[in-house]
Amino acid sequence: MAKALIRAAFAGTATALLCAIALPAFAGTLESVNQRGVVQCGVSEGLYGFSERNSQGEWSGFDVDFCRAVAGAIFDDPSKVTFVPLSASERFDALRTSRVDLLSRNSTWTLEREAGLDLAFAGITYHDGQGFMVIRDLNVTSALELDRARVCVESGTTSQLNVADFFAANSMTFEERAFPSGAAALEAFQSDHCNVLTRDQSALYAERLKLARPADAVILPDIISKEPLGPVTRADDFRWFNIVKWVNFALVNAEELGISSANAGEAAGSNRPDVRRFAGVEGGFGKLLGLEDAWALRAVGAVGNYSEIYERNLGVKSRLGIPRGLNQLWNMGGVLYAPPLR
Protein backbone atom coordinates (compact mmCIF):
# COMPACT_ATOMS: atom_id res chain seq x y z
CA MET A 1 0.00 0.00 0.00
CA ALA A 2 2.79 2.38 0.98
CA LYS A 3 4.68 1.60 -2.23
CA ALA A 4 1.54 2.23 -4.26
CA LEU A 5 1.08 5.61 -2.59
CA ILE A 6 4.69 6.53 -3.26
CA ARG A 7 4.34 5.52 -6.90
CA ALA A 8 1.16 7.58 -7.24
CA ALA A 9 2.76 10.60 -5.60
CA PHE A 10 5.80 10.32 -7.87
CA ALA A 11 3.59 10.01 -10.94
CA GLY A 12 1.63 13.09 -9.90
CA THR A 13 4.79 15.09 -9.32
CA ALA A 14 6.20 14.01 -12.68
CA THR A 15 2.97 14.99 -14.44
CA ALA A 16 3.01 18.40 -12.77
CA LEU A 17 6.61 18.95 -13.83
CA LEU A 18 5.84 17.98 -17.41
CA CYS A 19 2.90 20.38 -17.47
CA ALA A 20 5.08 23.15 -16.08
CA ILE A 21 7.62 22.53 -18.81
CA ALA A 22 5.02 22.29 -21.57
CA LEU A 23 3.09 25.43 -20.64
CA PRO A 24 4.69 28.89 -20.97
CA ALA A 25 5.01 30.88 -17.77
CA PHE A 26 3.53 33.97 -19.41
CA ALA A 27 2.08 35.13 -22.68
CA GLY A 28 4.75 36.13 -25.19
CA THR A 29 5.12 39.61 -26.62
CA LEU A 30 3.72 38.58 -30.00
CA GLU A 31 0.57 37.24 -28.34
CA SER A 32 0.19 40.49 -26.36
CA VAL A 33 0.71 42.57 -29.49
CA ASN A 34 -1.87 40.55 -31.41
CA GLN A 35 -4.41 40.85 -28.61
CA ARG A 36 -3.80 44.59 -28.26
CA GLY A 37 -3.88 45.13 -32.02
CA VAL A 38 -0.87 47.50 -32.08
CA VAL A 39 2.87 47.48 -31.47
CA GLN A 40 3.93 49.82 -28.67
CA CYS A 41 7.17 51.35 -29.90
CA GLY A 42 9.50 53.57 -27.87
CA VAL A 43 11.07 56.43 -29.83
CA SER A 44 12.96 59.64 -29.04
CA GLU A 45 11.17 62.74 -27.82
CA GLY A 46 12.01 64.48 -31.07
CA LEU A 47 15.06 64.12 -33.33
CA TYR A 48 14.91 65.27 -36.95
CA GLY A 49 15.29 62.40 -39.36
CA PHE A 50 14.87 59.69 -36.73
CA SER A 51 11.61 60.34 -34.87
CA GLU A 52 9.63 63.56 -34.95
CA ARG A 53 5.97 64.49 -34.62
CA ASN A 54 4.28 67.24 -36.64
CA SER A 55 1.53 69.61 -35.51
CA GLN A 56 -1.11 67.04 -36.47
CA GLY A 57 0.51 64.48 -34.19
CA GLU A 58 1.84 62.38 -37.09
CA TRP A 59 5.18 60.66 -36.56
CA SER A 60 7.94 60.27 -39.15
CA GLY A 61 11.61 59.32 -39.27
CA PHE A 62 14.10 56.49 -39.71
CA ASP A 63 13.35 54.86 -36.33
CA VAL A 64 9.62 55.44 -36.77
CA ASP A 65 9.68 53.67 -40.13
CA PHE A 66 11.35 50.65 -38.55
CA CYS A 67 8.47 50.38 -36.07
CA ARG A 68 6.03 50.56 -38.97
CA ALA A 69 7.93 47.81 -40.77
CA VAL A 70 7.45 45.54 -37.73
CA ALA A 71 3.73 46.37 -37.69
CA GLY A 72 3.59 45.68 -41.42
CA ALA A 73 5.18 42.25 -40.96
CA ILE A 74 2.73 41.31 -38.20
CA PHE A 75 -0.54 42.98 -39.24
CA ASP A 76 0.04 43.90 -42.89
CA ASP A 77 -0.82 47.41 -41.69
CA PRO A 78 1.92 49.95 -40.87
CA SER A 79 -0.53 52.17 -39.01
CA LYS A 80 -0.93 49.68 -36.16
CA VAL A 81 1.76 51.29 -34.00
CA THR A 82 1.53 53.42 -30.89
CA PHE A 83 4.60 55.67 -30.55
CA VAL A 84 5.81 56.35 -27.00
CA PRO A 85 8.31 59.26 -26.75
CA LEU A 86 11.04 58.48 -24.21
CA SER A 87 14.01 60.37 -22.83
CA ALA A 88 17.46 58.77 -22.84
CA SER A 89 17.33 58.18 -19.10
CA GLU A 90 13.94 56.42 -19.10
CA ARG A 91 14.06 54.43 -22.36
CA PHE A 92 15.51 51.16 -21.06
CA ASP A 93 13.34 51.05 -17.93
CA ALA A 94 10.30 51.62 -20.14
CA LEU A 95 11.27 48.56 -22.18
CA ARG A 96 12.10 46.39 -19.16
CA THR A 97 8.78 47.19 -17.48
CA SER A 98 6.80 46.47 -20.68
CA ARG A 99 5.61 50.03 -21.25
CA VAL A 100 6.82 49.39 -24.79
CA ASP A 101 7.30 46.18 -26.80
CA LEU A 102 10.21 47.51 -28.77
CA LEU A 103 12.70 50.35 -28.50
CA SER A 104 13.64 52.04 -31.78
CA ARG A 105 15.33 55.11 -30.38
CA ASN A 106 18.86 55.77 -31.74
CA SER A 107 20.30 53.60 -28.96
CA THR A 108 23.91 52.37 -28.97
CA TRP A 109 24.54 48.64 -28.58
CA THR A 110 26.94 48.02 -25.67
CA LEU A 111 27.86 45.06 -23.48
CA GLU A 112 26.68 46.75 -20.29
CA ARG A 113 23.27 47.60 -21.73
CA GLU A 114 22.67 44.15 -23.15
CA ALA A 115 24.08 41.92 -20.38
CA GLY A 116 23.61 44.29 -17.45
CA LEU A 117 20.04 45.34 -18.24
CA ASP A 118 18.87 41.96 -19.60
CA LEU A 119 18.09 43.40 -23.02
CA ALA A 120 18.71 42.16 -26.56
CA PHE A 121 19.80 44.37 -29.45
CA ALA A 122 18.25 43.07 -32.67
CA GLY A 123 21.13 44.02 -34.96
CA ILE A 124 22.38 47.37 -36.25
CA THR A 125 20.19 49.67 -38.32
CA TYR A 126 22.57 52.64 -38.40
CA HIS A 127 26.36 52.71 -38.02
CA ASP A 128 27.17 56.00 -36.34
CA GLY A 129 29.95 57.64 -34.34
CA GLN A 130 30.16 60.44 -31.81
CA GLY A 131 31.24 63.86 -32.99
CA PHE A 132 31.37 67.52 -32.00
CA MET A 133 29.46 70.60 -33.09
CA VAL A 134 31.18 73.88 -32.24
CA ILE A 135 30.46 77.57 -32.40
CA ARG A 136 31.99 78.82 -35.65
CA ASP A 137 33.71 81.68 -33.79
CA LEU A 138 35.97 79.16 -32.03
CA ASN A 139 37.86 78.86 -35.34
CA VAL A 140 38.79 75.21 -34.82
CA THR A 141 38.91 72.49 -37.43
CA SER A 142 39.73 69.48 -35.25
CA ALA A 143 38.55 68.02 -31.96
CA LEU A 144 42.18 68.02 -30.84
CA GLU A 145 41.92 71.82 -30.59
CA LEU A 146 39.16 71.68 -27.94
CA ASP A 147 41.36 71.77 -24.83
CA ARG A 148 39.57 73.60 -21.96
CA ALA A 149 36.30 73.74 -23.93
CA ARG A 150 32.89 73.90 -22.28
CA VAL A 151 31.07 70.81 -23.55
CA CYS A 152 27.31 70.25 -23.41
CA VAL A 153 26.24 66.61 -23.29
CA GLU A 154 23.10 64.64 -22.51
CA SER A 155 23.36 62.72 -19.24
CA GLY A 156 22.77 58.98 -19.11
CA THR A 157 24.20 58.40 -22.60
CA THR A 158 27.31 56.76 -24.03
CA SER A 159 28.22 60.25 -25.28
CA GLN A 160 28.86 61.36 -21.70
CA LEU A 161 31.29 58.47 -21.14
CA ASN A 162 32.99 58.76 -24.54
CA VAL A 163 33.76 62.47 -24.26
CA ALA A 164 35.49 61.94 -20.91
CA ASP A 165 37.57 59.12 -22.42
CA PHE A 166 38.49 61.24 -25.45
CA PHE A 167 39.78 64.20 -23.45
CA ALA A 168 41.66 61.98 -20.99
CA ALA A 169 43.27 59.94 -23.79
CA ASN A 170 44.50 63.14 -25.47
CA SER A 171 45.76 64.80 -22.27
CA MET A 172 43.20 67.60 -22.54
CA THR A 173 40.78 69.05 -20.03
CA PHE A 174 37.20 70.17 -20.48
CA GLU A 175 34.29 71.47 -18.48
CA GLU A 176 31.32 69.13 -18.66
CA ARG A 177 27.83 70.64 -18.76
CA ALA A 178 25.41 67.67 -18.48
CA PHE A 179 21.68 68.02 -19.14
CA PRO A 180 18.77 65.60 -18.69
CA SER A 181 17.65 65.75 -22.33
CA GLY A 182 19.01 66.43 -25.78
CA ALA A 183 16.72 69.44 -26.09
CA ALA A 184 18.12 70.97 -22.89
CA ALA A 185 21.70 70.37 -24.06
CA LEU A 186 20.96 72.04 -27.40
CA GLU A 187 19.33 75.02 -25.70
CA ALA A 188 22.39 75.43 -23.48
CA PHE A 189 24.63 75.31 -26.56
CA GLN A 190 22.53 77.93 -28.30
CA SER A 191 22.50 80.11 -25.17
CA ASP A 192 26.31 80.03 -24.96
CA HIS A 193 26.43 78.05 -21.72
CA CYS A 194 28.89 75.90 -23.65
CA ASN A 195 30.76 76.31 -26.91
CA VAL A 196 30.75 72.61 -27.89
CA LEU A 197 27.90 70.11 -28.20
CA THR A 198 28.69 66.41 -28.44
CA ARG A 199 26.32 63.68 -29.66
CA ASP A 200 26.18 60.98 -32.31
CA GLN A 201 27.15 62.70 -35.54
CA SER A 202 23.80 61.95 -37.18
CA ALA A 203 22.07 63.65 -34.25
CA LEU A 204 24.32 66.71 -34.64
CA TYR A 205 23.15 67.13 -38.24
CA ALA A 206 19.58 67.05 -36.92
CA GLU A 207 20.21 69.38 -34.00
CA ARG A 208 21.95 71.98 -36.15
CA LEU A 209 18.73 72.43 -38.13
CA LYS A 210 16.98 73.52 -34.92
CA LEU A 211 19.36 76.42 -34.28
CA ALA A 212 18.13 79.95 -34.97
CA ARG A 213 21.21 80.39 -37.19
CA PRO A 214 22.45 76.95 -38.31
CA ALA A 215 25.31 78.51 -40.27
CA ASP A 216 26.84 79.73 -36.98
CA ALA A 217 27.68 76.13 -36.01
CA VAL A 218 30.21 73.74 -37.53
CA ILE A 219 30.24 69.94 -37.24
CA LEU A 220 33.84 68.78 -36.96
CA PRO A 221 34.95 65.79 -39.06
CA ASP A 222 36.37 63.87 -36.09
CA ILE A 223 34.62 60.63 -35.03
CA ILE A 224 35.65 59.57 -31.52
CA SER A 225 33.66 56.38 -31.01
CA LYS A 226 31.74 53.50 -32.54
CA GLU A 227 28.00 53.97 -32.11
CA PRO A 228 26.13 50.97 -33.55
CA LEU A 229 22.48 52.00 -33.28
CA GLY A 230 19.67 49.50 -33.43
CA PRO A 231 16.31 48.27 -32.13
CA VAL A 232 16.11 46.70 -28.67
CA THR A 233 13.83 44.10 -27.10
CA ARG A 234 13.68 42.40 -23.71
CA ALA A 235 15.92 39.35 -23.46
CA ASP A 236 13.20 37.11 -21.98
CA ASP A 237 11.28 36.56 -25.22
CA PHE A 238 13.45 35.01 -27.90
CA ARG A 239 10.64 34.64 -30.45
CA TRP A 240 9.82 38.36 -30.30
CA PHE A 241 13.53 39.18 -30.51
CA ASN A 242 13.75 36.99 -33.62
CA ILE A 243 10.83 38.78 -35.27
CA VAL A 244 12.35 42.22 -34.71
CA LYS A 245 15.82 41.02 -35.77
CA TRP A 246 14.61 39.42 -38.99
CA VAL A 247 12.50 42.44 -39.95
CA ASN A 248 15.77 44.38 -39.69
CA PHE A 249 17.52 41.83 -41.91
CA ALA A 250 14.61 41.72 -44.35
CA LEU A 251 14.83 45.46 -45.06
CA VAL A 252 18.54 45.11 -45.90
CA ASN A 253 18.08 41.95 -47.97
CA ALA A 254 15.24 43.61 -49.87
CA GLU A 255 17.55 46.37 -51.05
CA GLU A 256 20.16 43.81 -52.10
CA LEU A 257 17.54 41.78 -53.98
CA GLY A 258 16.10 44.86 -55.67
CA ILE A 259 12.72 44.53 -53.92
CA SER A 260 11.15 47.91 -53.12
CA SER A 261 7.78 49.33 -52.14
CA ALA A 262 7.19 50.07 -55.82
CA ASN A 263 7.66 46.50 -57.07
CA ALA A 264 6.84 44.41 -53.97
CA GLY A 265 3.63 43.23 -55.60
CA GLU A 266 5.62 41.59 -58.40
CA ALA A 267 8.00 39.61 -56.17
CA ALA A 268 5.70 36.61 -55.76
CA GLY A 269 5.76 36.07 -59.51
CA SER A 270 9.56 36.08 -59.79
CA ASN A 271 11.49 33.04 -61.04
CA ARG A 272 14.44 33.76 -58.74
CA PRO A 273 14.50 31.35 -55.76
CA ASP A 274 15.84 33.99 -53.33
CA VAL A 275 13.10 36.45 -54.29
CA ARG A 276 10.42 33.75 -54.04
CA ARG A 277 11.62 32.84 -50.54
CA PHE A 278 11.52 36.51 -49.57
CA ALA A 279 7.98 36.82 -50.89
CA GLY A 280 6.88 33.76 -48.90
CA VAL A 281 6.00 31.71 -51.96
CA GLU A 282 8.62 29.09 -51.04
CA GLY A 283 10.23 28.00 -47.79
CA GLY A 284 7.43 28.59 -45.29
CA PHE A 285 9.75 30.68 -43.10
CA GLY A 286 7.02 32.90 -41.70
CA LYS A 287 5.66 30.00 -39.68
CA LEU A 288 9.01 29.71 -37.89
CA LEU A 289 8.46 33.25 -36.60
CA GLY A 290 4.77 32.83 -35.86
CA LEU A 291 3.87 35.10 -38.80
CA GLU A 292 2.33 34.79 -42.25
CA ASP A 293 4.79 33.57 -44.90
CA ALA A 294 4.61 36.95 -46.69
CA TRP A 295 5.83 38.80 -43.56
CA ALA A 296 9.03 40.14 -45.18
CA LEU A 297 7.20 41.39 -48.25
CA ARG A 298 4.63 43.05 -45.99
CA ALA A 299 7.39 44.89 -44.12
CA VAL A 300 8.82 46.27 -47.35
CA GLY A 301 5.37 47.10 -48.67
CA ALA A 302 4.76 49.12 -45.50
CA VAL A 303 7.80 51.42 -45.62
CA GLY A 304 10.14 50.35 -48.41
CA ASN A 305 13.53 48.67 -48.28
CA TYR A 306 16.51 49.96 -46.29
CA SER A 307 17.61 52.37 -49.03
CA GLU A 308 14.14 53.90 -49.30
CA ILE A 309 13.92 54.41 -45.54
CA TYR A 310 17.42 55.91 -45.35
CA GLU A 311 17.11 58.28 -48.29
CA ARG A 312 13.64 59.49 -47.29
CA ASN A 313 14.70 60.41 -43.75
CA LEU A 314 18.47 60.91 -43.66
CA GLY A 315 19.94 60.84 -47.17
CA VAL A 316 21.54 63.51 -49.30
CA LYS A 317 18.17 64.69 -50.67
CA SER A 318 16.59 64.94 -47.22
CA ARG A 319 16.88 67.89 -44.81
CA LEU A 320 19.81 66.22 -43.03
CA GLY A 321 21.77 65.42 -46.18
CA ILE A 322 23.88 62.60 -44.68
CA PRO A 323 25.73 60.41 -47.23
CA ARG A 324 25.26 56.65 -46.76
CA GLY A 325 28.95 56.06 -45.97
CA LEU A 326 29.30 52.97 -43.75
CA ASN A 327 25.57 52.43 -44.08
CA GLN A 328 25.92 51.45 -47.72
CA LEU A 329 25.48 47.78 -48.63
CA TRP A 330 28.53 45.55 -48.22
CA ASN A 331 28.78 45.06 -52.00
CA MET A 332 28.66 48.84 -52.53
CA GLY A 333 31.55 49.80 -50.26
CA GLY A 334 29.72 49.92 -46.92
CA VAL A 335 29.38 47.48 -44.02
CA LEU A 336 25.62 46.83 -44.20
CA TYR A 337 25.23 43.06 -44.34
CA ALA A 338 22.33 40.76 -43.48
CA PRO A 339 22.11 36.95 -43.17
CA PRO A 340 20.20 35.28 -46.00
CA LEU A 341 16.53 34.47 -45.69
CA ARG A 342 16.58 30.75 -46.41
Side-chain angles (χ1 to χ4, degrees):
M1 181 68 176
K3 289 183 178 179
L5 289 172
I6 291 171
R7 283 196 298 269
F10 179 80
T13 302
T15 301
L17 286 172
L18 286 172
C19 289
I21 292 170
L23 294 174
F26 55 88
T29 308
L30 179 60
E31 287 76 10
S32 298
V33 167
N34 278 323
Q35 290 172 9
R36 190 189 310 122
V38 295
V39 178
Q40 292 176 328
C41 193
V43 294
S44 77
E45 295 172 295
L47 182 63
Y48 288 165
F50 284 90
S51 55
E52 54 184 300
R53 182 167 41 181
N54 64 20
S55 57
Q56 286 76 46
E58 300 165 332
W59 286 89
S60 64
F62 183 87
D63 289 339
V64 166
D65 279 348
F66 183 81
C67 298
R68 291 195 172 118
V70 174
I74 297 169
F75 298 112
D76 197 18
D77 186 347
S79 71
K80 292 192 173 184
V81 186
T82 297
F83 295 103
V84 182
L86 299 167
S87 68
S89 59
E90 68 180 334
R91 55 184 160 171
F92 297 121
D93 280 342
L95 179 60
R96 295 174 70 195
T97 58
S98 300
R99 281 182 57 199
V100 295
D101 307 306
L102 159 68
L103 194 64
S104 183
R105 193 206 172 281
N106 56 297
S107 299
T108 300
W109 188 354
T110 71
L111 170 63
E112 182 180 20
R113 287 175 173 178
E114 191 162 64
L117 298 178
D118 201 24
L119 300 175
F121 280 76
I124 302 169
T125 52
Y126 190 88
H127 295 81
D128 209 345
Q130 187 172 335
F132 296 97
M133 181 162 67
V134 303
I135 300 298
R136 185 178 294 275
D137 290 346
L138 276 184
N139 292 318
V140 299
T141 58
S142 167
L144 294 175
E145 302 174 63
L146 296 179
D147 192 24
R148 295 187 296 277
R150 291 174 285 120
V151 181
C152 282
V153 64
E154 185 177 3
S155 58
T157 63
T158 54
S159 298
Q160 189 174 20
L161 305 175
N162 292 335
V163 71
D165 286 350
F166 173 77
F167 277 86
N170 289 284
S171 301
M172 299 190 301
T173 61
F174 75 107
E175 184 179 339
E176 181 188 87
R177 302 283 178 90
F179 297 88
S181 68
L186 180 66
E187 176 59 31
F189 175 76
Q190 189 162 233
S191 302
D192 200 34
H193 289 295
C194 52
N195 46 20
V196 178
L197 177 67
T198 186
R199 291 193 68 172
D200 293 348
Q201 195 160 54
S202 62
L204 293 177
Y205 277 91
E207 296 292 62
R208 185 169 61 174
L209 294 176
K210 298 178 183 178
L211 297 174
R213 294 186 299 275
D216 288 351
V218 176
I219 298 174
L220 299 179
D222 310 71
I223 300 295
I224 68 168
S225 70
K226 294 184 293 184
E227 303 295 329
L229 310 181
V232 196
T233 69
R234 291 179 294 278
D236 61 3
D237 190 337
F238 191 73
R239 182 166 69 156
W240 178 249
F241 164 73
N242 255 344
I243 290 171
V244 175
K245 177 177 65 177
W246 279 97
V247 168
N248 177 10
F249 293 155
L251 298 175
V252 176
N253 279 323
E255 180 183 358
E256 190 173 341
L257 292 171
I259 301 171
S260 68
S261 58
N263 63 21
E266 305 168 13
S270 173
N271 292 322
R272 292 175 52 185
D274 49 4
V275 174
R276 290 177 65 80
R277 286 192 296 269
F278 191 96
V281 179
E282 297 178 0
F285 296 113
K287 295 179 180 64
L288 300 179
L289 296 172
L291 303 177
E292 297 292 329
D293 286 337
W295 65 275
L297 205 59
R298 288 177 171 184
V300 174
V303 294
N305 61 33
Y306 184 91
S307 175
E308 291 177 273
I309 297 170
Y310 187 99
E311 296 302 335
R312 177 167 61 244
N313 297 298
L314 310 174
V316 293
K317 294 183 180 179
S318 73
R319 287 182 300 169
L320 270 65
I322 306 175
R324 289 268 307 252
L326 288 176
N327 295 293
Q328 186 60 265
L329 289 176
W330 65 279
N331 55 5
M332 298 290 288
V335 298
L336 210 62
Y337 188 100
L341 201 166
R342 67 173 308 144

